[in-house]
Amino acid sequence: MRGLMMDVPLLVSAVLRHAAETHGETEIVSRTVEGPIHRTTYAALHERSQRLAKALLALGLGQGGRVGTLAWNGYRHLEIYYAAGGAGLVCHTINPRLFPEQIAGIIRHAEDEILCADLTFLPLLAGLAGKLGAVRAIVVMTDRAHMPPPPEGLPPLLCYEELLAAQPPGFDWPALDENTACGLCYTSGTTGMPKGVLYSHRSCVLHALGCCLPDVFELSARSVIMPAVPMFHVNAWGTPYSAPMVGAKLVLPGPKLDGASLRELILSEGVTFSAGVPTVWMGLLDWLDAQGEIAGEIAGAQGGLGALRLVGIGGSACPPVVIERLAARGVTVRHAWGMTETSPVALTSAPQAKHEGLPPRERLALSARQGRPLYGVEFRVLGADGQPVARDGVAFGRLLVRGPWVAAAYHGLEDSPAHATEPGWFDTGDVATVDADGYVCIVDRTKDVIKSGGEWISSIELENIAVSHPAVQEAAAVARPDPKWGERPLLVLVRRPGVAVTAEEIRAHFHGRVARWCIPEDIRFAEELPHTATGKLLKSRIRELYAEAMQAAGN
Ligand code: ADP
């Protein structure tokens, strides 16, 4: 027997329409690449997205046509998300931090027909002249006054504001099938070639609904959300959809993610929730510390962070010391785990009622875990025998997930399931433990774990201990070949500016924090560490650099 309820498709256009009708006056504040702070509302965003949808269709894009974006977090980027998706096109967000050749390859692979670019990215595109495949026009996301001269060899440049101005208001969003694609994002290729994850209206709406559950990021119409995660990678953790869904004010920080710029917006806009990778928060905390040292006392309530109460941290493991430092400034950390293939949010580390009275050390240990799945995501941790591991927080295995916002296949590889070692499940490539309450702890990526004498050493654990030393700014632990043990850890450290520390002092810091045999004998210092396009440690390059150094030394 079928249920007798309305079959209304889950569409992103309906999310924006809801925000315009229910929270029409709520603000969207953007730091623009042109300079000034820009303010608009959900009502105005809806109206402009409707006109942009018509403008994009007028450029000759057919259903499913790809609109690439090279853009920071800002209101025009948000309009493209909704205009393209809502009109039955696909918004392909491109990570501008990838190598130029990779960017061109992705644009060609996605078969982008129109590219929308912030002014900052015109020089990047100029360098890709002749390599942009099917791209017919580049829409420069600015007004006439800021339009640059057309670079040589590129498709024609169109002015975003002129395209919009040419369209009369109003557009009936088509009643698409909810499984229609609306967004495309390529993995950043940390462990291989970038692969395209093709999100559907249904997956985006359900993921956003999941993110609106209170234990995820505590979002509501009273929230002021500032995504410090880019809209060009994994939909800024779904905030472009979850914020309008709940009617939260949205603060988009544009290209400036340094401590001073973020702090300015946090205070001036009353930000209550933000999300970002650990390095963003380390940058903000270091900046605040430096201000405190200069000024003696930090201005403003709550350790200098105004109304900020909660930050979501993920993308790579959040070191416990970052959780502690933010707590000291009145901010709670919600650790989150996810991937491009999981839209991304899948696990978050909210405490349960029974954890309320826990001593601070145990609370910290709990929030340092990546957490439990939000409704919609199921997971398994399978041992080497293919069976679920004991839920004891010690036994580890491969982390598999499934759910309506987990990728089933990659764009262009539709016939082969995405990483499916178990039918119907997505193999994340991460190694994890799970405890009796279902809190997952990511031990490492399969490719990064250090296999020493038949035992596994978690590179994440070594890095977390290293950065808890006050002299260490950043740390990377990688495996180096060892004739006796197979592999041993190599720890590469970046010291804080002007601070001296020796390898011996670092080793002493490890004693009592980790089993003796895990302590790295080989500790080196570097000026900086290589990072991926999403700000993660590029461990493959660190291993290569080490091998090159060994060779040069004649070892
Ligand atoms: P890429 O795989 O190219 O780095 P993603 O952004 O999709 O791109 O990265 C997903 C991976 O990032 C996960 O598989 C996991 O290894 C890592 N990751 C994400 N969040 C966390 C977290 N909170 N703790 C540890 N690792 C994380």
Side-chain angles (χ1 to χ4, degrees):
M1 189 183 224
R2 285 181 66 82
L4 291 172
M5 307 309 281
M6 289 186 191
D7 189 9
V8 177
L10 303 173
L11 299 176
V12 298
S13 48
V15 175
L16 183 55
R17 192 169 50 220
H18 166 79
E21 288 172 1
T22 315
H23 309 281
E25 288 178 6
T26 302
E27 271 189 312
I28 298 137
V29 181
S30 312
R31 191 191 288 283
T32 60
V33 291
E34 295 94 336
I37 297 288
H38 175 275
R39 291 176 187 278
T40 184
T41 62
Y42 282 121
L45 191 89
H46 184 228
E47 196 273 330
R48 280 170 56 92
S49 302
Q50 287 175 306
R51 280 193 283 141
L52 180 62
K54 285 194 288 193
L56 290 174
L57 293 173
L59 291 175
L61 286 157
Q63 289 298 284
R66 262 78 79 199
V67 180
T69 65
L70 272 165
W72 303 107
N73 291 8
Y75 68 102
R76 291 192 184 109
H77 204 176
L78 198 56
E79 289 164 359
I80 301 166
Y81 264 58
Y82 281 103
L89 311 173
V90 175
C91 174
H92 168 207
T93 53
I94 303 163
N95 187 337
R97 297 201 185 107
L98 293 170
F99 297 119
E101 285 304 321
Q102 260 181 335
I103 293 178
I106 285 173
I107 289 171
R108 289 194 302 272
H109 188 265
E111 298 176 77
D112 291 339
E113 290 179 57
I114 302 290
L115 281 182
C116 299
D118 267 333
L119 277 167
T120 15
F121 298 119
L122 264 286
L124 170 72
L125 284 172
L128 299 178
K131 299 179 184 166
L132 297 178
V135 174
R136 287 188 275 117
I138 296 171
V139 177
V140 188
M141 296 162 65
T142 191
D143 54 17
R144 174 49 54 190
H146 291 89
M147 278 299 280
E152 226 164 273
L154 280 185
L157 298 190
L158 305 174
C159 169
Y160 185 97
E161 290 300 331
E162 278 182 356
L163 283 181
L164 242 75
Q167 296 296 331
F171 177 66
D172 286 333
W173 298 111
L176 304 165
D177 176 330
E178 64 181 18
N179 286 303
T180 306
C182 67
L184 176 61
C185 177
Y186 281 72
T187 60
S188 27
T190 309
T191 56
M193 280 304 290
K195 292 192 278 295
V197 180
L198 194 55
Y199 306 109
S200 65
H201 285 258
R202 177 184 154 83
S203 74
C204 288
V205 171
L206 288 177
H207 172 258
L209 264 175
C211 289
C212 292
L213 293 171
D215 270 348
V216 180
F217 298 134
E218 299 176 13
L219 306 182
S220 82
R222 279 135 345 258
S223 306
V224 180
I225 303 176
M226 180 177 72
V229 276
M231 289 170 71
F232 59 68
H233 190 59
V234 217
N235 301 323
W237 294 16
T239 47
Y241 303 120
S242 54
M245 203 173 254
V246 293
K249 173 175 164 181
L250 199 50
V251 180
L252 302 171
K256 293 197 174 165
L257 296 180
D258 60 285
S261 308
L262 289 180
R263 201 301 191 109
E264 184 188 306
L265 285 178
I266 290 170
L267 295 194
S268 63
E269 301 304 326
V271 171
T272 61
F273 169 74
S274 183
V277 292
T279 41
V280 165
W281 303 109
M282 291 188 215
L284 176 63
L285 286 164
D286 288 349
W287 182 84
L288 282 169
D289 285 354
Q291 299 309 299
E293 278 160 27
I294 295 161
E297 182 86 359
I298 296 159
Q302 290 295 326
L305 291 172
L308 189 66
R309 290 289 168 277
L310 187 74
V311 296
I313 302 189
S316 50
C318 179
V321 65
V322 173
I323 303 178
E324 279 178 314
R325 288 173 76 191
L326 280 164
R329 293 185 180 276
V331 179
T332 302
V333 167
R334 186 70 32 91
H335 203 177
W337 174 93
M339 322 176 61
T340 313
E341 291 91 335
T342 65
S343 293
V345 185
L347 306 169
T348 54
S349 67
Q352 297 171 263
K354 67 177 182 182
H355 298 133
E356 287 304 330
L358 277 184
R361 282 269 125 220
E362 288 172 43
R363 274 295 281 261
L364 177 66
L366 190 77
S367 23
R369 298 195 185 142
Q370 283 73 7
R372 306 198 296 167
L374 32 155
Y375 166 74
V377 176
E378 291 173 83
F379 78 89
R380 280 182 178 183
V381 181
L382 299 185
D385 57 0
Q387 295 304 309
V389 298
R391 290 166 80 106
D392 58 4
V394 178
F396 51 80
R398 285 163 24 231
L399 176 67
L400 273 58
V401 293
R402 73 174 176 196
W405 56 86
V406 177
Y410 293 105
H411 176 54
L413 300 166
E414 283 75 1
D415 296 333
S416 45
H419 288 308
T421 43
E422 299 284 317
W425 291 85
F426 175 78
D427 192 333
T428 64
D430 284 358
V431 179
T433 63
V434 54
D435 69 13
D437 290 322
Y439 286 81
V440 171
C441 184
I442 303 289
V443 175
D444 227 325
R445 286 188 184 227
T446 318
K447 290 181 182 162
D448 292 338
V449 80
I450 301 155
K451 301 177 189 84
S452 176
E455 298 286 344
W456 286 17
I457 303 176
S458 158
S459 66
I460 294 178
E461 194 179 2
L462 298 185
E463 288 157 8
N464 282 348
I465 295 171
V467 295
S468 72
H469 190 287
V472 176
Q473 182 159 308
E474 202 176 16
V478 295
R480 64 159 178 73
D482 183 273
K484 183 166 176 203
W485 302 104
E487 287 177 358
R488 288 296 298 157
L490 160 72
L491 188 64
V492 190
L493 304 176
V494 178
R495 294 188 188 96
R496 287 192 181 282
V499 185
V501 68
T502 63
E504 211 35 65
E505 284 163 340
I506 297 291
R507 255 189 300 275
H509 181 70
F510 273 86
H511 282 281
R513 290 183 161 89
V514 74
R516 283 189 88 83
W517 58 270
C518 297
I519 300 177
E521 301 85 35
D522 198 349
I523 298 179
R524 294 162 188 235
F525 295 93
E527 289 300 309
E528 57 177 2
L529 292 170
H531 292 93
T532 69
T534 44
K536 303 181 195 194
L537 289 167
L538 189 53
K539 297 219 173 156
S540 51
R541 184 68 194 132
I542 296 168
R543 282 188 283 263
E544 273 168 27
L545 287 172
Y546 171 77
E548 284 163 19
M550 290 285 286
Q551 237 173 5
N555 293 328

